[in-house]
Coordinates of all heavy atoms in Angstrom, one line a residue:
M1 N -90.5 -86.7 -24.2 CA -91.3 -87.5 -23.4 C -91.5 -88.9 -24.0 O -91.7 -89.1 -25.2 CB -92.7 -86.9 -23.3 CG -93.7 -87.8 -22.7 SD -95.2 -87.0 -22.1 CE -94.5 -85.9 -20.8
T2 N -91.3 -89.9 -23.1 CA -91.4 -91.3 -23.6 C -92.9 -91.7 -23.4 O -93.7 -91.1 -22.7 CB -90.5 -92.2 -22.7 OG1 -91.0 -92.2 -21.4 CG2 -89.1 -91.8 -22.8
L3 N -93.2 -92.8 -24.0 CA -94.6 -93.4 -23.9 C -94.9 -93.7 -22.5 O -95.9 -93.4 -22.0 CB -94.7 -94.6 -24.8 CG -96.0 -95.3 -24.7 CD1 -97.2 -94.4 -25.1 CD2 -96.0 -96.5 -25.7
S4 N -93.9 -94.3 -21.8 CA -94.2 -94.6 -20.3 C -94.4 -93.4 -19.5 O -95.2 -93.4 -18.6 CB -93.1 -95.5 -19.8 OG -91.8 -94.9 -19.9
D5 N -93.6 -92.3 -19.8 CA -93.8 -91.0 -19.1 C -95.3 -90.5 -19.3 O -95.9 -90.1 -18.4 CB -92.9 -90.0 -19.6 CG -91.4 -90.2 -19.2 OD1 -91.2 -91.0 -18.2 OD2 -90.5 -89.6 -19.8
F6 N -95.7 -90.6 -20.5 CA -97.1 -90.1 -20.9 C -98.1 -90.9 -20.1 O -99.1 -90.4 -19.6 CB -97.3 -90.2 -22.4 CG -98.7 -89.9 -22.8 CD1 -99.2 -88.6 -22.7 CD2 -99.6 -90.9 -23.2 CE1 -100.5 -88.3 -23.1 CE2 -100.9 -90.6 -23.6 CZ -101.4 -89.3 -23.5
L7 N -98.0 -92.3 -20.1 CA -98.9 -93.1 -19.5 C -99.0 -92.9 -18.0 O -100.0 -93.3 -17.4 CB -98.6 -94.6 -19.8 CG -98.8 -94.9 -21.3 CD1 -98.4 -96.4 -21.6 CD2 -100.2 -94.6 -21.8
A8 N -97.9 -92.4 -17.4 CA -97.9 -92.2 -15.9 C -98.4 -90.8 -15.5 O -98.5 -90.5 -14.3 CB -96.5 -92.4 -15.4
L9 N -98.7 -89.9 -16.5 CA -99.1 -88.6 -16.2 C -100.5 -88.6 -15.5 O -101.4 -89.4 -15.9 CB -99.2 -87.7 -17.4 CG -97.9 -87.4 -18.1 CD1 -98.1 -86.6 -19.4 CD2 -97.0 -86.5 -17.2
P10 N -100.7 -87.6 -14.6 CA -102.1 -87.5 -14.0 C -103.1 -86.9 -15.1 O -102.7 -86.2 -16.0 CB -101.8 -86.5 -12.9 CG -100.6 -85.7 -13.3 CD -99.8 -86.6 -14.1
V11 N -104.3 -87.2 -14.9 CA -105.4 -86.7 -15.7 C -105.3 -85.2 -15.7 O -105.2 -84.6 -14.6 CB -106.8 -87.2 -15.3 CG1 -107.9 -86.6 -16.1 CG2 -106.8 -88.7 -15.4
G12 N -105.4 -84.5 -16.8 CA -105.5 -83.1 -16.9 C -104.1 -82.4 -17.1 O -104.0 -81.2 -17.2
Y13 N -103.1 -83.2 -17.1 CA -101.7 -82.6 -17.3 C -101.6 -82.0 -18.7 O -102.1 -82.6 -19.7 CB -100.7 -83.7 -17.2 CG -99.2 -83.2 -17.4 CD1 -98.5 -82.7 -16.3 CD2 -98.6 -83.3 -18.6 CE1 -97.2 -82.3 -16.4 CE2 -97.3 -82.9 -18.8 CZ -96.6 -82.3 -17.7 OH -95.3 -81.9 -17.9
K14 N -101.1 -80.8 -18.8 CA -101.0 -80.1 -20.1 C -99.5 -80.3 -20.6 O -98.6 -80.0 -19.9 CB -101.2 -78.6 -19.9 CG -102.6 -78.3 -19.4 CD -103.7 -78.6 -20.4 CE -105.0 -78.2 -19.9 NZ -106.1 -78.8 -20.6
L15 N -99.4 -80.9 -21.8 CA -98.1 -81.2 -22.4 C -97.6 -79.9 -23.0 O -98.3 -79.1 -23.7 CB -98.3 -82.2 -23.5 CG -98.7 -83.6 -23.1 CD1 -99.0 -84.5 -24.3 CD2 -97.7 -84.2 -22.2
S16 N -96.3 -79.7 -22.9 CA -95.6 -78.6 -23.6 C -95.4 -78.9 -25.1 O -95.5 -80.1 -25.4 CB -94.3 -78.3 -22.9 OG -93.4 -79.3 -23.3
P17 N -95.2 -78.0 -25.9 CA -94.9 -78.3 -27.3 C -93.8 -79.3 -27.5 O -93.8 -80.2 -28.4 CB -94.6 -76.9 -28.0 CG -95.4 -76.0 -27.1 CD -95.3 -76.5 -25.7
D18 N -92.7 -79.2 -26.7 CA -91.6 -80.1 -26.8 C -92.0 -81.5 -26.4 O -91.6 -82.5 -27.0 CB -90.4 -79.6 -26.0 CG -89.7 -78.4 -26.6 OD1 -89.9 -78.1 -27.8 OD2 -89.0 -77.7 -25.8
E19 N -92.8 -81.6 -25.4 CA -93.3 -82.9 -24.9 C -94.2 -83.5 -26.0 O -94.1 -84.7 -26.2 CB -94.1 -82.7 -23.6 CG -93.2 -82.4 -22.4 CD -94.0 -82.1 -21.1 OE1 -95.0 -81.4 -21.2 OE2 -93.5 -82.5 -20.1
V20 N -95.0 -82.7 -26.6 CA -95.9 -83.2 -27.7 C -95.1 -83.8 -28.8 O -95.3 -84.9 -29.3 CB -96.9 -82.1 -28.2 CG1 -97.5 -82.5 -29.5 CG2 -97.9 -81.8 -27.1
E21 N -94.1 -83.1 -29.2 CA -93.2 -83.5 -30.3 C -92.5 -84.8 -30.0 O -92.5 -85.8 -30.8 CB -92.2 -82.4 -30.6 CG -91.3 -82.8 -31.8 CD -90.4 -81.7 -32.2 OE1 -90.5 -80.5 -31.8 OE2 -89.4 -82.0 -33.0
A22 N -92.0 -84.9 -28.8 CA -91.3 -86.1 -28.4 C -92.3 -87.3 -28.2 O -92.0 -88.4 -28.7 CB -90.6 -85.9 -27.0
L23 N -93.5 -87.0 -27.7 CA -94.5 -88.1 -27.5 C -94.9 -88.6 -28.9 O -95.1 -89.8 -29.1 CB -95.6 -87.6 -26.7 CG -96.8 -88.6 -26.5 CD1 -96.3 -89.9 -25.9 CD2 -97.9 -87.9 -25.7
N24 N -95.2 -87.7 -29.8 CA -95.6 -88.1 -31.2 C -94.6 -89.0 -31.8 O -94.9 -90.0 -32.5 CB -95.9 -86.8 -32.0 CG -97.1 -86.1 -31.6 OD1 -98.0 -86.6 -30.9 ND2 -97.3 -84.9 -32.1
K25 N -93.3 -88.6 -31.7 CA -92.2 -89.5 -32.2 C -92.2 -90.8 -31.6 O -92.1 -91.9 -32.3 CB -90.9 -88.8 -32.1 CG -90.7 -87.6 -33.1 CD -89.4 -86.9 -32.9 CE -89.4 -85.7 -33.9 NZ -88.2 -84.9 -33.7
A26 N -92.4 -90.9 -30.3 CA -92.4 -92.2 -29.6 C -93.6 -93.0 -30.0 O -93.5 -94.2 -30.3 CB -92.4 -91.9 -28.1
L27 N -94.8 -92.4 -30.1 CA -96.0 -93.1 -30.5 C -95.9 -93.6 -32.0 O -96.4 -94.6 -32.3 CB -97.2 -92.2 -30.3 CG -97.6 -92.0 -28.9 CD1 -98.7 -91.0 -28.8 CD2 -98.1 -93.3 -28.3
S28 N -95.2 -92.8 -32.8 CA -95.0 -93.2 -34.2 C -94.3 -94.6 -34.4 O -94.4 -95.2 -35.4 CB -94.4 -92.1 -35.1 OG -93.0 -92.1 -34.8
K29 N -93.5 -94.9 -33.3 CA -92.8 -96.2 -33.4 C -93.4 -97.3 -32.5 O -92.9 -98.4 -32.5 CB -91.4 -95.9 -32.9 CG -90.6 -95.0 -33.8 CD -89.3 -94.6 -33.2 CE -88.6 -93.6 -34.1 NZ -87.8 -92.6 -33.4
A30 N -94.5 -96.9 -31.9 CA -95.1 -97.9 -30.9 C -96.1 -98.8 -31.7 O -96.6 -98.6 -32.7 CB -95.9 -97.1 -29.9
E31 N -96.3 -100.0 -31.0 CA -97.2 -101.0 -31.5 C -98.3 -101.1 -30.4 O -98.0 -100.8 -29.2 CB -96.5 -102.3 -31.6 CG -95.4 -102.3 -32.7 CD -96.0 -102.1 -34.1 OE1 -97.1 -102.5 -34.4 OE2 -95.2 -101.5 -34.9
P32 N -99.5 -101.6 -30.7 CA -100.5 -101.7 -29.7 C -100.1 -102.6 -28.5 O -100.5 -102.2 -27.4 CB -101.6 -102.5 -30.5 CG -101.5 -102.0 -31.9 CD -100.0 -101.9 -32.1
K33 N -99.2 -103.5 -28.7 CA -98.7 -104.3 -27.6 C -97.9 -103.5 -26.6 O -97.7 -104.0 -25.4 CB -97.9 -105.6 -28.1 CG -96.6 -105.2 -28.8 CD -95.9 -106.4 -29.2 CE -94.7 -106.1 -30.0 NZ -93.7 -105.3 -29.4
D34 N -97.4 -102.4 -27.0 CA -96.6 -101.5 -26.1 C -97.5 -100.7 -25.1 O -96.9 -100.1 -24.2 CB -95.8 -100.5 -27.0 CG -94.8 -101.2 -27.9 OD1 -94.3 -102.3 -27.6 OD2 -94.6 -100.6 -29.0
I35 N -98.8 -100.7 -25.4 CA -99.7 -99.9 -24.6 C -100.6 -100.8 -23.7 O -101.3 -101.6 -24.3 CB -100.5 -99.0 -25.5 CG1 -99.5 -98.1 -26.3 CG2 -101.5 -98.2 -24.7 CD1 -100.1 -97.5 -27.5
P36 N -100.5 -100.7 -22.4 CA -101.4 -101.6 -21.6 C -102.9 -101.4 -21.9 O -103.3 -100.3 -22.2 CB -101.1 -101.1 -20.2 CG -99.8 -100.4 -20.2 CD -99.7 -99.8 -21.6
P37 N -103.6 -102.5 -21.9 CA -105.0 -102.3 -22.3 C -105.8 -101.3 -21.5 O -106.6 -100.6 -22.1 CB -105.6 -103.7 -22.0 CG -104.4 -104.6 -22.1 CD -103.2 -103.8 -21.7
E38 N -105.5 -101.1 -20.2 CA -106.2 -100.1 -19.4 C -105.8 -98.6 -19.8 O -106.4 -97.7 -19.4 CB -106.0 -100.3 -17.9 CG -104.6 -100.1 -17.4 CD -103.6 -101.3 -17.6 OE1 -104.0 -102.3 -18.3 OE2 -102.5 -101.2 -17.1
K39 N -104.7 -98.5 -20.6 CA -104.3 -97.1 -21.0 C -104.6 -96.8 -22.5 O -104.3 -95.7 -22.9 CB -102.8 -97.0 -20.8 CG -102.3 -97.1 -19.3 CD -102.8 -95.8 -18.6 CE -102.2 -95.8 -17.2 NZ -102.4 -94.5 -16.6
R40 N -105.2 -97.8 -23.2 CA -105.4 -97.6 -24.6 C -106.4 -96.5 -24.9 O -106.2 -95.7 -25.8 CB -105.9 -98.9 -25.3 CG -104.7 -99.9 -25.4 CD -105.1 -101.1 -26.1 NE -103.9 -102.0 -26.1 CZ -104.0 -103.3 -26.4 NH1 -105.1 -103.8 -26.8 NH2 -102.8 -104.0 -26.5
S41 N -107.4 -96.3 -24.1 CA -108.3 -95.2 -24.3 C -107.7 -93.9 -24.2 O -108.0 -92.9 -24.9 CB -109.6 -95.3 -23.4 OG -109.2 -95.2 -22.1
Q42 N -106.7 -93.8 -23.3 CA -106.0 -92.5 -23.1 C -105.2 -92.2 -24.3 O -105.1 -91.0 -24.8 CB -105.0 -92.7 -21.9 CG -104.2 -91.5 -21.6 CD -103.2 -91.7 -20.4 OE1 -103.3 -92.7 -19.8 NE2 -102.4 -90.7 -20.2
V43 N -104.5 -93.2 -24.9 CA -103.7 -93.0 -26.1 C -104.6 -92.7 -27.3 O -104.3 -91.8 -28.1 CB -102.8 -94.2 -26.4 CG1 -102.0 -94.0 -27.7 CG2 -101.8 -94.3 -25.2
I44 N -105.7 -93.4 -27.4 CA -106.7 -93.2 -28.5 C -107.2 -91.7 -28.4 O -107.2 -91.0 -29.5 CB -107.8 -94.2 -28.4 CG1 -107.4 -95.5 -28.9 CG2 -109.0 -93.7 -29.3 CD1 -108.4 -96.7 -28.6
D45 N -107.6 -91.3 -27.3 CA -108.0 -89.9 -27.1 C -106.9 -88.9 -27.5 O -107.2 -87.9 -28.2 CB -108.5 -89.6 -25.7 CG -109.7 -90.3 -25.3 OD1 -110.5 -90.8 -26.2 OD2 -110.0 -90.4 -24.1
Y46 N -105.7 -89.1 -27.1 CA -104.6 -88.2 -27.4 C -104.4 -88.2 -28.9 O -104.3 -87.1 -29.5 CB -103.3 -88.7 -26.7 CG -102.1 -87.9 -27.2 CD1 -101.9 -86.6 -26.8 CD2 -101.3 -88.4 -28.3 CE1 -100.8 -85.8 -27.3 CE2 -100.3 -87.6 -28.8 CZ -100.1 -86.4 -28.3 OH -99.0 -85.6 -28.8
L47 N -104.4 -89.4 -29.6 CA -104.1 -89.4 -31.0 C -105.3 -88.8 -31.8 O -105.0 -88.0 -32.7 CB -103.9 -90.9 -31.5 CG -102.6 -91.5 -31.0 CD1 -102.6 -93.0 -31.4 CD2 -101.4 -90.8 -31.7
D48 N -106.5 -89.0 -31.4 CA -107.6 -88.4 -32.0 C -107.5 -86.9 -32.0 O -107.7 -86.2 -33.0 CB -109.0 -88.8 -31.3 CG -109.6 -90.1 -31.9 OD1 -109.3 -90.5 -33.0 OD2 -110.3 -90.7 -31.1
T49 N -107.1 -86.3 -30.8 CA -107.0 -84.9 -30.7 C -105.8 -84.4 -31.5 O -106.0 -83.4 -32.2 CB -106.8 -84.5 -29.2 OG1 -108.0 -85.0 -28.5 CG2 -106.7 -83.0 -29.0
A50 N -104.7 -85.0 -31.4 CA -103.5 -84.5 -32.1 C -103.7 -84.5 -33.6 O -103.3 -83.6 -34.3 CB -102.3 -85.4 -31.7
L51 N -104.3 -85.6 -34.1 CA -104.4 -85.7 -35.5 C -105.5 -84.8 -36.0 O -105.4 -84.3 -37.1 CB -104.7 -87.2 -35.9 CG -103.5 -88.1 -35.7 CD1 -103.9 -89.6 -35.8 CD2 -102.4 -87.8 -36.7
L52 N -106.6 -84.6 -35.3 CA -107.6 -83.6 -35.6 C -107.1 -82.2 -35.7 O -107.3 -81.5 -36.7 CB -108.8 -83.7 -34.6 CG -109.9 -82.6 -34.8 CD1 -110.6 -82.9 -36.1 CD2 -110.8 -82.6 -33.7
H53 N -106.3 -81.8 -34.8 CA -105.7 -80.5 -34.8 C -104.7 -80.3 -36.0 O -104.6 -79.2 -36.5 CB -105.0 -80.2 -33.5 CG -105.9 -79.8 -32.4 ND1 -106.4 -80.7 -31.5 CD2 -106.6 -78.6 -32.1 CE1 -107.2 -80.1 -30.7 NE2 -107.4 -78.8 -31.1
S54 N -104.1 -81.4 -36.4 CA -103.2 -81.3 -37.5 C -104.0 -81.2 -38.8 O -103.6 -80.6 -39.8 CB -102.3 -82.5 -37.6 OG -101.3 -82.4 -36.6
A55 N -105.2 -81.8 -38.8 CA -106.0 -81.8 -40.0 C -106.7 -80.5 -40.3 O -106.8 -80.1 -41.4 CB -107.0 -82.9 -40.0
V56 N -107.1 -79.8 -39.2 CA -107.9 -78.6 -39.4 C -107.1 -77.3 -39.2 O -107.6 -76.3 -39.6 CB -109.1 -78.6 -38.4 CG1 -110.0 -79.8 -38.8 CG2 -108.7 -78.6 -37.0
G57 N -106.0 -77.4 -38.6 CA -105.2 -76.1 -38.3 C -104.6 -75.6 -39.6 O -104.1 -76.3 -40.4
L58 N -104.7 -74.3 -39.7 CA -104.2 -73.6 -40.9 C -102.7 -73.4 -40.7 O -101.9 -73.8 -41.6 CB -104.8 -72.3 -41.1 CG -106.3 -72.3 -41.4 CD1 -106.9 -70.9 -41.5 CD2 -106.6 -73.1 -42.7
N59 N -102.2 -72.9 -39.6 CA -100.8 -72.6 -39.4 C -100.3 -73.4 -38.2 O -99.1 -73.3 -37.8 CB -100.6 -71.1 -39.1 CG -100.9 -70.3 -40.3 OD1 -100.5 -70.7 -41.5 ND2 -101.5 -69.2 -40.2
I60 N -101.1 -74.3 -37.7 CA -100.7 -75.1 -36.6 C -100.6 -76.6 -37.0 O -101.5 -77.1 -37.6 CB -101.7 -75.0 -35.4 CG1 -101.8 -73.6 -34.9 CG2 -101.3 -75.9 -34.3 CD1 -103.0 -73.3 -34.0
R61 N -99.5 -77.2 -36.8 CA -99.3 -78.6 -37.2 C -98.9 -79.3 -35.9 O -97.8 -79.2 -35.4 CB -98.1 -78.7 -38.2 CG -97.8 -80.0 -38.6 CD -98.3 -80.6 -39.8 NE -99.0 -79.9 -40.8 CZ -100.2 -80.2 -41.3 NH1 -100.9 -81.3 -40.8 NH2 -100.8 -79.6 -42.2
A62 N -99.9 -79.9 -35.3 CA -99.7 -80.7 -34.0 C -98.8 -81.9 -34.3 O -98.1 -82.4 -33.4 CB -101.0 -81.1 -33.4
V63 N -98.9 -82.5 -35.5 CA -98.2 -83.7 -35.8 C -97.3 -83.4 -37.1 O -97.9 -82.9 -38.1 CB -99.1 -84.8 -36.1 CG1 -98.4 -86.1 -36.5 CG2 -99.9 -85.1 -34.8
E64 N -96.1 -83.8 -37.0 CA -95.2 -83.6 -38.2 C -95.7 -84.5 -39.3 O -96.2 -85.6 -39.1 CB -93.8 -84.0 -37.9 CG -93.1 -83.1 -36.8 CD -91.7 -83.5 -36.5 OE1 -91.1 -84.3 -37.2 OE2 -91.3 -83.1 -35.4
L65 N -95.7 -84.0 -40.5 CA -96.2 -84.7 -41.7 C -95.6 -86.0 -41.9 O -96.2 -87.0 -42.2 CB -96.0 -83.9 -42.9 CG -96.9 -82.6 -43.1 CD1 -96.5 -81.8 -44.3 CD2 -98.3 -83.0 -43.2
N66 N -94.3 -86.2 -41.6 CA -93.6 -87.4 -41.8 C -94.0 -88.6 -40.9 O -93.6 -89.7 -41.1 CB -92.1 -87.2 -41.8 CG -91.5 -86.7 -40.5 OD1 -92.2 -86.0 -39.7 ND2 -90.3 -87.1 -40.2
I67 N -94.7 -88.3 -39.8 CA -95.1 -89.3 -38.9 C -96.6 -89.5 -38.8 O -97.1 -90.4 -38.1 CB -94.5 -89.2 -37.5 CG1 -95.0 -87.9 -36.8 CG2 -93.0 -89.3 -37.5 CD1 -94.5 -87.7 -35.4
Q68 N -97.4 -88.7 -39.5 CA -98.8 -88.8 -39.5 C -99.3 -90.1 -39.8 O -100.2 -90.7 -39.2 CB -99.5 -87.7 -40.4 CG -99.6 -86.4 -39.7 CD -100.4 -85.4 -40.6 OE1 -100.8 -85.7 -41.7 NE2 -100.6 -84.2 -40.0
A69 N -98.8 -90.8 -40.9 CA -99.3 -92.1 -41.3 C -99.0 -93.1 -40.2 O -99.9 -94.0 -40.0 CB -98.6 -92.5 -42.6
D70 N -97.9 -93.0 -39.5 CA -97.6 -94.0 -38.5 C -98.6 -93.8 -37.3 O -99.0 -94.8 -36.7 CB -96.2 -93.8 -38.0 CG -95.2 -94.3 -39.0 OD1 -95.5 -95.2 -39.8 OD2 -94.1 -93.7 -39.1
L71 N -98.9 -92.6 -37.0 CA -99.8 -92.3 -35.9 C -101.2 -92.7 -36.2 O -102.0 -93.3 -35.4 CB -99.8 -90.8 -35.5 CG -98.5 -90.3 -34.9 CD1 -98.6 -88.9 -34.5 CD2 -98.1 -91.1 -33.6
N72 N -101.6 -92.5 -37.5 CA -102.9 -93.0 -37.9 C -103.0 -94.5 -37.9 O -104.0 -95.1 -37.5 CB -103.2 -92.5 -39.4 CG -103.8 -91.1 -39.4 OD1 -104.7 -90.8 -38.7 ND2 -103.3 -90.3 -40.3
R73 N -101.9 -95.2 -38.3 CA -101.9 -96.6 -38.2 C -102.1 -97.1 -36.8 O -102.9 -98.0 -36.5 CB -100.6 -97.2 -38.7 CG -100.4 -98.7 -38.6 CD -98.9 -99.1 -38.5 NE -98.0 -98.3 -37.7 CZ -97.8 -98.4 -36.4 NH1 -98.4 -99.3 -35.7 NH2 -96.9 -97.6 -35.8
L74 N -101.3 -96.5 -35.8 CA -101.5 -96.9 -34.4 C -102.9 -96.7 -33.9 O -103.4 -97.5 -33.2 CB -100.4 -96.2 -33.6 CG -100.5 -96.5 -32.1 CD1 -100.2 -98.0 -31.8 CD2 -99.5 -95.6 -31.3
L75 N -103.4 -95.5 -34.3 CA -104.8 -95.2 -33.8 C -105.8 -96.2 -34.3 O -106.6 -96.7 -33.5 CB -105.2 -93.8 -34.3 CG -106.6 -93.3 -34.0 CD1 -106.8 -93.3 -32.5 CD2 -106.8 -92.0 -34.7
E76 N -105.7 -96.6 -35.6 CA -106.6 -97.6 -36.1 C -106.4 -98.9 -35.5 O -107.4 -99.6 -35.2 CB -106.5 -97.7 -37.6 CG -106.9 -96.4 -38.4 CD -108.4 -95.9 -38.0 OE1 -109.3 -96.8 -37.9 OE2 -108.5 -94.7 -37.7
E77 N -105.2 -99.3 -35.2 CA -104.9 -100.6 -34.6 C -105.4 -100.7 -33.2 O -106.0 -101.7 -32.7 CB -103.4 -100.9 -34.7 CG -103.0 -101.3 -36.1 CD -101.4 -101.4 -36.2 OE1 -100.7 -101.2 -35.2 OE2 -101.0 -101.8 -37.3
L78 N -105.3 -99.5 -32.4 CA -105.7 -99.5 -31.1 C -107.3 -99.5 -31.0 O -107.9 -100.2 -30.2 CB -105.2 -98.2 -30.4 CG -103.8 -98.2 -30.0 CD1 -103.3 -96.8 -29.5 CD2 -103.4 -99.3 -29.0
K79 N -107.9 -98.8 -31.9 CA -109.4 -98.8 -32.0 C -109.9 -100.2 -32.3 O -110.9 -100.7 -31.7 CB -109.9 -97.8 -33.0 CG -109.8 -96.4 -32.5 CD -110.4 -95.4 -33.6 CE -110.4 -94.0 -33.1 NZ -110.9 -93.1 -34.1
A80 N -109.2 -100.9 -33.2 CA -109.6 -102.3 -33.6 C -109.4 -103.2 -32.4 O -110.2 -104.2 -32.3 CB -108.9 -102.7 -34.8
A81 N -108.4 -103.0 -31.6 CA -108.1 -103.9 -30.5 C -109.0 -103.6 -29.3 O -109.0 -104.4 -28.3 CB -106.6 -103.8 -30.1
S82 N -109.6 -102.5 -29.3 CA -110.4 -102.1 -28.0 C -111.8 -102.6 -28.1 O -112.4 -102.9 -29.1 CB -110.4 -100.6 -27.9 OG -109.1 -100.1 -27.7

């Protein structure tokens, strides 16, 4: 799933595990300028949830370890820009 695919999804759409993995990889390479201002809260909510589940899950890793820092960076930059 690309970032633009995610931003076009209807509210309440449930992502599959493969879609989550692809979206996380896409977001790990994204910059705040890649996300329209009106969609930033959607991405912030997604990242908050994905990173929280990775932090508290015992056997569930919503975010691969090698991209967590990049997703945290994007989350912080989006929050600062909002």
Side-chain angles (χ1 to χ4, degrees):
M1 168 162 299
T2 65
L3 177 57
S4 60
D5 290 340
F6 173 71
L7 296 176
L9 291 175
V11 174
Y13 180 87
K14 301 290 184 198
L15 297 172
S16 72
D18 289 339
E19 290 171 324
V20 167
E21 185 177 344
L23 177 58
N24 289 344
K25 287 178 182 175
L27 286 170
S28 73
K29 297 173 183 145
E31 298 294 329
K33 66 179 174 58
D34 300 329
I35 300 161
E38 68 275 7
K39 295 290 189 170
R40 288 184 179 167
S41 64
Q42 178 183 356
V43 175
I44 288 170
D45 291 345
Y46 172 80
L47 289 171
D48 273 336
T49 301
L51 292 166
L52 174 66
H53 282 98
S54 288
V56 299
L58 296 176
N59 293 319
I60 299 170
R61 177 102 5 236
V63 176
E64 295 176 20
L65 287 173
N66 62 331
I67 62 173
Q68 277 186 355
D70 292 327
L71 295 180
N72 275 314
R73 173 204 44 84
L74 178 61
L75 177 59
E76 293 307 314
E77 289 174 355
L78 288 172
K79 285 181 176 179
S82 295

